[in-house]
Every structure is written in C-alpha cells, then in structure tokens.
Amino acid sequence: MADLRGAVPPYYRDVYDALCPADSELIAQSTLTQVLVKSRLDKNVLSQIWTQLDIKNGTINRSNMYKALALVAFAQNGKAISEKLIENFSGEELPRPDLGDVESLKLLIRQSKSSPTKLSFTYEEMCNFDSIQLELMPEKKGIFLKHSEYEVSSKRNNCTVKRRYKDFEAFHEILQQMFPYRIIPKLPPKKMINSDREFIEARRKSLRRFLNITSAHPAMYDSQVLQFFLTYNGEIVHKIKEKFRGVPDEFVSSPLAPIAKELVPPETSSEFAASKEQISILSKHVHKLRDIATRVAERSRGNSSDMNNFGKELIAIGNDSSVTSQWATGGNGGVIDTLKKSFRTLSVEFSSISEKHSLQNIREEEGVVEQLNMLHDLLQAYKDLCDRHERGVLKDHHYALKKYGAMKTKRMAATITNMEQHGVDRMDSRIHAQENEIATRESRNYFSLHCIHLESQLVYINVKILADVITTLVATQMKGHSEMAKLWEELAPRVTGLLPKETNGSSS
C-alpha cells in the first residue's frame, strides 16, 4: 500500500480529533463510514477507497484516515481511485474533501450514538447550526415588470449570494422532493402586480424565517441542496433543478428506512392523533400572542408618527408670520408670540421622542413579533406535514390494500370459472407486483410515522422560543420606557417655563 505523500491540511487533523475517542489513537471503521457517506460518492467508489486502507480489527489509524480523506477529495474531483493516485502525489497540500465542517461531523457522530427515536439536539445547538440574514436589494426593472432581489448571507458558510423569489420556489420544490416527511414551511405568496412596501417587507421576513427554520433542522441543515442554495454564485433556478432533480428522497437514502417498522411503537397512531390536536391548540394560542404583539408594535409605530406630527404642528404654529391685532388679543398678544418662539425649538425634542418610539417599534417587531412568527410558521408546517401523511402516504397504503383485496377476489373468481392459464398467470403476476407495492407503501408509512415522531419532538424543543419571547418583551419594554421617561424628564423643565410667570399669573 502506498505511503501518504503531500502536506496534511489542518482540516484532516481537525477531523481526526473529532472522530478519535479520547482514550485511543484508533478510529472505529463504522465511525469513518458515517463520515464518508456524507461525500455522496457512489457506493462502488467508496468500496474502492476502503480497499486502499489498512483496516485492523475494525479500526484504522491516523495515517489511514488521512488517506481516506485524500482519496475522497480526489474522487470528488473526478479522478479514478487507484494506488498510484497517492504515489504520484507529492510536494503540495493534499486536497480537502467536501464532507461539511468539523462541527457538523461532531454532531453527526454524537447523533449516531443516540437513540434513533429521540432527537439528540438541544434548542441552542440547532440555533447555532447557522444564522441567515436576508436583505432586499434595490429594485430592478424587468422588461415588463419589476422584480425583487435579495442578498442571502450565511454565517456558517461566511458568504453572501443573490437570490430572486423564483429561486426560492425552485429550492422549496426540491426540498419537498427530498424531504417529504419533514417540516418544511410554506413560502409567502408571490404577488407580482402593485406590491406595496408593506407586502414586500413582510415577504422578506417570511423568506428569512423559511431559511432559518430550514437551516436549523437536524435533517436538512447539512444537506447538499441547502448548502448549494446558500453558497452557489450565479443563476440558480435551473441549476438547482438539474443538480438535484434525480436525487432520491430521504426514505430511499436513509439507513433507517428498512427498520422503520421496528422504530414505530404500537401506540404511535393514538399518540400521533393526540400530539396533532395538542399542537393545533398551541398553534391557536401562539397565533393570538403574535396578533397581540403585532398590535403592541403597531402602537409604537403609531406613537412615533403621532409624536413626529405633533412636532410638525408646533413648527407650523411657530412659523406662522401673521400679526395678531390688538382688537383680537385684547392686549394679550405677547402670549402667542412667546409660544411661537418656544414651539420652534420644542419640535426638536418631539422629533427625538418620535425616533425613540420608532426604535421601540423595531425592537418589538424583530425581537418579539418575528420570534412568534417563527414559532407559528413551524407549528403550521407541522400541521401541513400531518395532513400530508394522512392524505398521502397513509391513504396510498390503504388504497394499495384495497386494490390488492379486489385483485385477490378476481383471482378466486378466475379459479372457479376455469379461466385460461395464460390469463391466470397474468393475474398472478399483477398480484405479486401489488404485494411488492403494498410492502413499499407500508415501509413508507412507517418511515413517515417515524419522522413525524421526531418532528413532534422538534416542535416541543422549539417551544423554548416562547421563553425567549417573554424575556425579550420584558427587556424591550423596560428599556423603551426608561429611554422615553428620560426624554420626557429632560423636556419637563422647558415646558413649565413656556410663558413668563407674570403672564401665567395674569391668565389664571
């Protein structure tokens, strides 16, 4: 076997540290297998890579792990696996394989050691998978219609790409194809004609929530399709379809699919119905909380507008150059003149108060309303998932069983009526094919139930958002009222002296 040549990049060492147990210098073959599967290489190619490694008692050492990583990288670059591939490589750094970052590998190994029926991530860990920002770019005009373009920034990948709404549609379609039994939020409506600013901003936030929910999902955060969407520079709407259209769904690719029936306990059907009802009730409460929080934020925005207009009216009075007559004022013309002079300066303070209300509105919308929107989107997506299961997989399984029963009845009738043998053979062939169809539908049904079990856990883990909402609400109200009180306190001495004391006395 060829010796490893070339400089070892830091990534190799980081992967070794992530996979190697603390009490050993050897890595279990099963552990490395899970990592190499992330390469998405063909099984035959992976088998060729294993033949190049020195495996002893189901373990490999550091040098062999480095060889495995190098060979994966070569294969991903389109090179055929052979012993000479390593022999002929020297004098430069070994290539880095596309297996994801080291942190995601650590999570993969930890997840593989946990029970497949329990979600092994905490809320904080899922939030740290990635953080997506989405900003609206200056509007561009098409040949016939204007269109919106977004800058999508991924903290994990440290990159920013440009995307249009149709790119999100293509990505959403592929996600549904690859992960049919997972929570996938709906996209906001397209609405092309006469889209006002309020609609465009609401859609921007909705798309941002969609990406953050997807990027925090244990089954999707490290998927190639998500990483492609977040990192590919260039026109993506056709490229993503070409690249992933033929990729099998999770049922076909998951190693748990063949044993899904064993992962679904007998009480799953009743638990599923109860969980669906409980989460539906929770969703209604969250919907109401979101509406209340929205009204709170709208009041702050309204206060900002009112205080700004209040200041403008003071300016209008202060700038009024008309001269009041002695006849009209009865000798008190000095009052209005003094107030006009004061009002011209007071408008600045009211503008500052308006700005604080506007800032408070932003805090409430981003910190409270958006968090509740995030949870509401997740709960609604869970409901959609349950509906898909009942209308899709479960219904298909029942239909396949019903069709099988009808075919068996016809087969019995054929025996009684002495049908010709070639007709009986065709019927038996169809029955056999239907039996295979039933087996596939049954397996998909169990796998779907297994996924729903995990998605239910995902929902309840994310209920922690409510704690964040309450904490943020209290903090924003304390901060907002404190800042507002300070401004009003600074304004108080000025308004108490708007008029000279003698004028106040004569007026009272």
Side-chain angles (χ1 to χ4, degrees):
M1 183 173 57
D3 293 328
L4 186 67
R5 300 185 182 184
V8 175
Y11 180 77
Y12 284 37
R13 299 186 182 90
D14 292 340
V15 171
Y16 175 80
D17 292 339
L19 304 188
C20 188
D23 57 350
S24 174
E25 294 183 355
L26 300 176
I27 298 172
Q29 183 181 357
S30 59
T31 298
L32 185 59
T33 299
Q34 295 176 63
V35 173
L36 297 190
V37 167
K38 287 173 61 65
S39 67
R40 303 283 183 178
L41 292 173
D42 185 80
K43 291 181 180 180
N44 292 329
V45 176
L46 290 177
S47 296
Q48 294 173 32
I49 291 175
W50 282 113
T51 62
Q52 299 295 321
L53 306 179
D54 186 11
I55 304 169
K56 295 180 180 179
N57 299 321
T59 61
I60 63 172
N61 59 20
R62 180 193 292 262
S63 177
N64 275 274
M65 194 214 73
Y66 288 172
K67 287 179 182 177
L69 296 182
L71 290 171
V72 166
F74 285 131
Q76 288 176 330
N77 290 326
K79 296 184 178 180
I81 301 299
S82 70
E83 193 169 334
K84 292 183 179 180
L85 194 59
I86 294 212
E87 287 180 349
N88 298 334
F89 188 89
S90 63
E92 54 186 293
E93 188 173 83
L94 290 163
R96 170 174 171 164
D98 182 10
L99 298 171
D101 58 47
V102 176
E103 288 303 315
S104 68
L105 296 181
K106 289 179 181 178
L107 291 172
L108 173 69
I109 300 305
R110 196 188 77 188
Q111 190 177 22
S112 68
K113 295 177 180 178
S114 63
S115 169
T117 61
K118 289 186 179 180
L119 209 57
S120 59
F121 299 105
T122 66
Y123 172 70
E124 289 74 17
E125 286 173 336
M126 290 188 292
C127 288
N128 289 330
F129 286 164
D130 203 349
S131 176
I132 309 297
Q133 294 300 322
L134 188 143
E135 300 298 335
L136 183 66
M137 297 182 66
E139 195 173 62
K140 291 184 178 181
K141 293 184 178 181
I143 299 177
F144 300 106
L145 297 168
K146 300 176 182 178
H147 67 263
S148 300
E149 194 169 23
Y150 305 94
E151 274 191 346
V152 179
S153 302
S154 165
K155 182 179 179 180
R156 174 186 177 183
N157 295 292
N158 191 29
C159 69
T160 299
V161 293
K162 296 177 182 178
R163 295 288 179 260
R164 290 179 58 184
Y165 183 83
K166 64 181 182 180
D167 300 327
F168 282 90
E169 286 183 312
F171 173 51
H172 190 267
E173 179 184 334
I174 298 297
L175 272 185
Q176 289 181 314
Q177 166 199 309
M178 295 178 66
F179 301 97
Y181 312 121
R182 300 293 184 174
I183 286 176
I184 300 176
K186 289 181 178 179
L187 292 179
K190 188 171 184 178
K191 189 183 178 183
M192 297 170 58
I193 301 174
N194 297 326
S195 297
D196 55 25
R197 287 185 179 180
E198 188 174 339
F199 169 81
I200 292 173
E201 175 62 8
R203 187 173 67 175
R204 180 191 72 82
K205 290 180 177 179
S206 182
L207 291 173
R208 182 180 63 182
R209 293 195 303 271
F210 162 72
L211 285 181
N212 275 296
I213 290 174
T214 305
S215 298
H217 195 292
M220 292 182 279
Y221 80 98
D222 205 31
S223 64
Q224 283 194 332
V225 64
L226 173 62
Q227 297 309 312
F228 183 79
F229 183 82
L230 295 176
T231 59
Y232 181 79
N233 272 304
E235 291 290 332
I236 196 174
V237 64
H238 299 299
K239 190 74 175 178
I240 196 170
K241 290 180 179 179
E242 292 171 4
K243 186 174 178 66
F244 295 101
R245 179 173 286 146
V247 175
D249 67 18
E250 191 181 7
F251 170 77
V252 176
S253 59
S254 173
L256 296 178
I259 60 169
K261 187 174 182 178
E262 301 171 22
L263 302 177
V264 178
E267 68 275 12
T268 294
S269 294
S270 59
E271 290 286 352
F272 165 60
S275 176
K276 181 183 176 184
E277 179 62 24
Q278 290 165 0
I279 291 176
S280 176
I281 293 171
L282 176 62
S283 179
K284 292 176 182 177
H285 291 306
V286 170
H287 182 90
K288 291 179 181 179
L289 286 172
R290 183 196 62 180
D291 289 348
I292 294 169
T294 299
R295 289 195 294 271
V296 170
E298 287 174 347
R299 281 196 290 271
S300 292
R301 184 167 65 245
N303 288 338
S304 173
S305 177
D306 288 343
M307 289 298 102
N308 186 51
N309 289 332
F310 197 95
K312 288 180 178 179
E313 295 305 321
L314 292 180
I315 291 177
I317 295 174
N319 291 337
D320 182 8
S321 59
S322 59
V323 180
T324 53
S325 65
Q326 179 75 12
W327 177 87
T329 62
N332 292 313
V335 174
I336 187 64
D337 292 337
T338 302
L339 288 176
K340 284 182 179 181
K341 184 177 180 181
S342 299
F343 288 171
R344 284 196 292 270
T345 58
L346 278 181
S347 62
V348 177
E349 278 72 15
F350 279 95
S351 178
S352 297
I353 292 171
S354 171
E355 290 174 1
K356 285 296 180 184
H357 278 297
S358 179
L359 178 60
Q360 181 70 0
N361 166 254
I362 294 173
R363 290 173 186 153
E364 290 163 347
E365 285 193 344
E366 290 295 326
V368 180
V369 177
E370 270 304 282
Q371 286 284 82
L372 287 169
N373 272 326
M374 180 86 77
L375 182 56
H376 185 266
D377 288 354
L378 191 71
L379 295 171
Q380 183 59 47
Y382 178 82
K383 178 184 179 300
D384 295 339
L385 171 63
C386 294
D387 291 343
R388 286 202 306 273
H389 171 77
E390 292 175 333
R391 292 198 306 261
V393 180
L394 188 60
K395 185 177 179 180
D396 290 345
H397 184 219
H398 289 166
Y399 176 76
L401 288 172
K402 184 178 179 180
K403 185 176 180 181
Y404 178 74
M407 293 171 73
K408 292 289 286 185
T409 301
K410 287 183 179 180
R411 177 65 178 82
M412 291 175 64
T415 302
I416 296 172
T417 58
N418 294 318
M419 178 184 286
E420 293 183 7
Q421 188 59 42
H422 70 275
V424 173
D425 291 342
R426 282 202 307 271
M427 194 171 291
D428 286 341
S429 176
R430 290 171 185 169
I431 289 174
H432 179 68
Q434 187 63 20
E435 287 172 345
N436 292 334
E437 177 70 11
I438 289 172
T440 300
R441 294 296 178 186
E442 183 180 50
S443 295
R444 279 192 174 272
N445 180 50
Y446 280 118
F447 185 73
S448 177
L449 285 171
H450 167 65
C451 291
I452 287 175
H453 184 195
L454 295 177
E455 300 303 275
S456 301
Q457 296 175 43
L458 180 67
V459 166
Y460 280 105
I461 288 175
N462 276 276
V463 167
K464 192 171 181 180
I465 290 175
L466 288 177
D468 291 344
V469 164
I470 295 171
T471 302
T472 304
L473 176 64
V474 172
T476 55
Q477 295 306 310
M478 288 175 61
K479 187 176 181 65
H481 286 294
S482 175
E483 291 175 346
M484 213 64 68
K486 184 178 179 181
L487 288 176
W488 286 116
E489 287 171 0
E490 291 173 352
L491 182 59
R494 297 194 56 189
V495 298
T496 55
L498 284 176
L499 296 173
K501 290 184 179 179
E502 60 272 19
T503 305
N504 282 329
S506 63
S507 302
S508 55

